[in-house]
Amino acid sequence: MAANVYASATDGGGDAAWTRSGTGVRTAGATIDCPDVATELTAVPDRARPEVDKELALLDEQIAKAYQRLSESAQQVRQDAGFADNAIMNPLKDKRAATLERIAIAIDRVGNRPEGLDTLAACAVRDSGNEAPAQGEGTDGNTGEQPGQAQGDGDQGGQGSGQGGNGGQAGNGPVAADFAPITSVQPDASRPRQAADASRGSFATDCGVNENGLFNSDNIIAAPGVTNGAHHFHDYIGNQANNAFASDQDLANAETSCVDPGDRSSYYWPVLRLQNGTQEQDADSPGGGIEGNAGEIVTPKQVTLTFQGNPRGKVTAMPRLLRIITGDAKSFLNGPANANASWSCTGLEDRQLKDKYPLCPQGSDVVRTFKFQSCWDGRNTDSANHRTHMAFTDAAGNCPSGFRPVPQLVQRIVYDVDAPSLKDGGRTTPLFAVDSFPEQLHKPVTDHGDFINVFDEGLMREMVDCINEGRTCGAGAEAGPGEEPGQEPGAGEEPQEQPTKAPEAPQEQPTKTPEAPADQPTRTPDAQQGGNAGGQPGDADGSEDGKGEAVQPPATNKPAPEPDQDGQSPGTDAPGVLATATADAGTANTGDQGGSKEETGEDTDGLGQSQAVGTATSSAPTPSLPPRTEPQAVGSGGLADTGAQLWPAAAGAVLVLAGFVVLRRARRG
């Protein structure tokens, strides 16, 4: 009886490093690190791309499922050191090998078979660096709650308490170490010198803040035709038809949220969430709570979109349907070569954090900035790895050889969120984080943005003329953040890792009264920090920050770039080790699918199966205005939480009492 009572009362809560989240994921300070095949495939024949894209999306699905299985297997891993390899990692390797073989076959049908793909099959379990506090001890040393556990969070309603080695509401981040005071970064106000024929103008477009509530977990650029290809939710503004199955014609004919109907471009990025225990509309959906993206989605307070020029010369028009991805959603595990995250605070945007979320002073809002690549190869609207057709300028604003400058999109997104209370794990003021692939643990360095150019050709010509003539045009026709009309653009745009100080113990900041997300005001557009050539995130907003406080002018430069392993500047796309021939010969077929299923067709290990080309039969619905969210049920914790599990002890007690009665009667007889 005593053993049953003790076991029932402590079940699921006795080990701080492994705890169940409401998403069904058991968390620990580990993740799964796999080679990024998409980055290595720098050349794929056009006719092979649809099949290759689907197989690449399948690789992402396999990793996500393997991470979930690893997280759920805490007890088995503790009891058997070989369990993770035998039950999870080796099957994952086999699945990846089969998928990679199908990729090679698809390319081989219409070009030259790529070499070395098989070397990318193996993955490894990696320490996430998110150390769990000692049992019964929280981040402040005396609370049993871990980073990201909002007050009142229970294991109810599809969201978890967030306890565990990787922190966060869903057990896979963020943690306190992911935050740093913006004041720990030194200001950087340097700018490049301008050539005589620099293009100094700017063109702004106003497309709202996603007040329509348009979200999905697709990514039509990286995973066309694949539902939940992103494994995290995106905010969409501009084009209202963007989902995994949208054709170019669908995008061209779509409605737009932009003020100028000539801009049907699609602008999208991962949503930002508060880790406050809220059960959102996607709590039980792939890409949402099921894959560790939990909490309240925050509607931006302001979004500014500005196209700017080049400090060395004139810009040319972007080709229609040009696709650009900036940043790397997998950079926590891939490394910083393609990272382009940039975090700051209003009034302090001459300071930028690359690998930390900012702790902003009272009265200052969080700002995430994307400065997109602005050098085009002059031929392609996309590329096999969705990178090599575009490039960043160097520090002086020069494009690489063979590339030409185009207007640089600078996207600035402002959020009215308070600095979280790190000492109590976000109970007083919740942590915040961007959505991510499950195994990327919501690290700030994984932030990224996507753009598809669907400007009318006439409006694009107007934009180019405006920028080249040094004028300020577009929606609002205002100067860029912290700029005067005609001010010289900023410096070289290579994304760089900016050293940041170790997070200091944050000072508790007074909390604002939370506002209902649906009541976020639609912003008046400011022209963005864009053509400040060079794409350095961090131009400040020259307008007011929405709180009646003037915002300081920004600087756009960051410290000198650190070379990557190849000695190349971050953000430049070196040819992948698996470059393949682009010759098109013959017609690609959809057969030769590798054996990824048992004969019964069942996915016996749950690591995901191939999707044959053309198997998608329905498009993802366009979400309507999201329903109001509701807080989750509150768990009481401890013994009370496990009362339903005490029935074995209760049954034992009844049997013991019955035994005493029988014994007493036997003695009397």
Side-chain angles (χ1 to χ4, degrees):
M1 255 171 50
N4 271 322
V5 169
Y6 179 80
S8 298
T10 59
D11 179 55
D15 191 332
W18 295 86
T19 331
R20 176 169 295 280
S21 80
T23 61
V25 175
R26 285 187 180 272
T27 57
T31 189
I32 292 179
D33 188 358
C34 298
D36 187 10
V37 179
T39 301
E40 304 294 346
L41 284 173
T42 58
V44 175
D46 288 344
R47 283 182 286 173
R49 279 194 195 173
E51 188 171 354
V52 170
D53 283 341
K54 285 182 171 59
E55 298 297 348
L56 291 173
L58 178 60
L59 292 173
D60 290 337
E61 180 183 348
Q62 291 165 352
I63 297 170
K65 289 186 175 180
Y67 172 78
Q68 182 172 356
R69 292 194 65 195
L70 176 68
S71 300
E72 290 171 343
S73 304
Q75 186 171 355
Q76 294 95 318
V77 172
R78 288 199 304 269
Q79 294 173 350
D80 179 2
F83 179 86
D85 283 339
N86 296 332
I88 301 171
M89 302 309 293
N90 289 340
L92 174 61
K93 180 180 178 181
D94 293 342
K95 288 286 184 182
R96 284 173 60 84
T99 305
L100 292 168
E101 177 62 17
R102 290 193 296 274
I103 291 174
I105 291 171
I107 294 173
D108 191 35
R109 290 194 193 104
V110 294
N112 293 334
R113 183 183 178 93
E115 300 296 331
L117 277 181
D118 56 327
T119 64
L120 305 178
C123 303
V125 176
R126 169 177 161 180
D127 184 356
S128 69
N130 294 345
E131 297 181 3
Q135 182 173 343
E137 186 177 291
T139 53
D140 60 359
N142 56 22
T143 171
E145 295 176 88
Q146 310 302 327
Q149 181 174 355
Q151 187 174 18
D153 281 0
D155 195 26
Q156 310 290 333
Q159 307 294 341
S161 67
Q163 291 184 340
N166 282 328
Q169 180 173 324
N172 66 335
V175 294
D178 292 329
F179 294 80
I182 192 62
T183 53
S184 68
V185 182
Q186 292 300 313
D188 189 341
S190 57
R191 290 178 181 269
R193 297 183 62 181
Q194 298 293 300
D197 60 346
S199 45
R200 296 179 171 86
S202 66
F203 183 94
T205 184
D206 179 358
C207 300
V209 296
N210 194 23
E211 54 268 60
N212 297 332
L214 179 56
F215 309 104
N216 65 48
S217 59
D218 301 339
N219 191 334
I220 194 168
I221 297 179
V226 179
T227 301
N228 191 39
H231 296 271
H232 53 264
F233 267 62
H234 289 125
D235 267 316
Y236 289 88
I237 62 173
N239 199 289
Q240 299 294 287
N242 191 332
N243 60 53
F245 307 101
S247 67
D248 289 348
Q249 194 60 46
D250 292 334
L251 296 175
N253 295 337
E255 296 293 325
T256 180
S257 67
C258 300
V259 171
D260 192 324
D263 183 7
R264 292 183 175 86
S265 300
S266 185
Y267 309 85
Y268 59 106
W269 56 83
V271 299
L272 187 84
R273 298 183 194 248
L274 291 175
Q275 306 289 291
N276 60 4
T278 295
Q279 183 178 0
E280 267 287 6
Q281 58 177 344
D282 62 348
D284 298 317
S285 302
I290 288 177
E291 297 188 87
N293 292 305
E296 178 186 346
I297 295 175
V298 182
T299 300
K301 175 180 179 179
Q302 181 187 50
V303 176
T304 54
L305 306 169
T306 304
F307 294 85
Q308 297 186 337
N310 180 281
R312 311 306 300 171
K314 305 303 182 185
V315 297
T316 59
M318 290 180 172
R320 190 168 171 82
L321 297 171
L322 176 68
R323 287 155 161 81
I324 312 177
I325 297 175
T326 196
D328 182 3
K330 302 175 183 176
S331 55
F332 173 56
L333 297 173
N334 283 351
N338 289 312
N340 194 20
S342 202
W343 295 88
S344 189
C345 304
T346 53
L348 296 165
E349 290 175 67
D350 56 349
R351 308 165 188 248
Q352 294 289 324
L353 287 160
K354 312 304 294 180
D355 57 358
K356 303 288 183 185
Y357 294 115
L359 297 173
C360 297
Q362 183 180 7
S364 179
D365 292 325
V366 170
V367 182
R368 56 198 287 212
T369 303
F370 301 114
K371 291 194 170 184
F372 284 69
Q373 300 91 312
S374 63
C375 298
W376 174 48
D377 69 4
R379 299 182 305 277
N380 302 297
T381 57
D382 199 0
S383 49
N385 63 2
H386 313 294
R387 295 188 184 278
T388 52
H389 64 298
M390 296 295 298
F392 289 95
T393 64
D394 63 20
N398 298 301
C399 286
S401 176
F403 286 73
R404 63 186 67 174
V406 294
Q408 182 193 26
L409 170 61
V410 182
Q411 198 166 272
R412 180 173 169 276
I413 311 168
V414 181
Y415 295 92
D416 184 10
V417 293
D418 293 304
S421 54
L422 302 186
K423 288 186 177 180
D424 64 2
R427 289 194 311 259
T428 304
T429 307
L431 307 183
F432 59 83
V434 293
D435 270 19
S436 74
F437 285 94
E439 74 281 359
Q440 299 294 324
L441 308 181
H442 304 283
K443 296 297 182 182
V445 73
T446 66
D447 201 13
H448 57 282
D450 301 77
F451 168 70
I452 303 174
N453 170 36
V454 199
F455 273 89
D456 289 349
E457 291 183 1
L459 186 57
M460 175 58 66
R461 286 195 298 271
E462 180 183 328
M463 175 198 299
V464 169
D465 291 344
C466 171
I467 292 172
N468 287 337
E469 293 169 7
R471 295 183 285 117
T472 301
C473 314
E478 299 174 1
E483 301 177 352
E484 296 298 329
Q487 178 178 330
E488 64 182 24
E493 42 179 291
E494 307 157 76
Q496 304 144 20
E497 286 297 290
Q498 177 171 326
T500 55
K501 298 180 182 177
E504 304 169 3
Q507 299 178 356
E508 295 299 324
Q509 308 220 8
T511 59
K512 306 174 203 171
T513 303
E515 301 177 7
D519 294 320
Q520 302 281 356
T522 303
R523 58 109 175 101
T524 301
D526 316 86
Q528 251 278 45
Q529 47 181 345
N532 298 7
Q536 306 303 346
D539 293 349
D541 182 2
S543 65
E544 295 192 352
D545 67 356
K547 299 183 181 180
E549 300 177 10
V551 180
Q552 300 173 2
T556 54
N557 266 27
K558 298 178 283 189
E562 298 177 3
D564 61 19
Q565 295 157 339
D566 301 325
Q568 243 180 305
S569 294
T572 58
D573 291 306
V577 298
L578 297 168
T580 61
T582 58
D584 279 4
T587 303
N589 299 317
T590 61
D592 297 337
Q593 300 297 330
S596 60
K597 297 186 182 180
E598 302 284 338
E599 290 185 5
T600 60
E602 296 299 320
D603 180 12
T604 55
D605 61 10
L607 294 181
Q609 302 303 331
S610 173
Q611 301 183 46
V613 176
T615 55
T617 57
S618 62
S619 71
T622 301
S624 57
L625 197 63
R628 300 296 297 172
T629 55
E630 299 178 359
Q632 302 176 88
V634 177
S636 55
L639 186 62
D641 272 347
T642 59
Q645 302 176 18
L646 294 178
W647 63 266
V654 171
L655 290 174
V656 170
L657 290 174
F660 279 123
V661 171
V662 172
L663 180 61
R664 185 175 181 83
R665 288 182 176 177
R667 286 182 175 177
R668 286 181 177 176

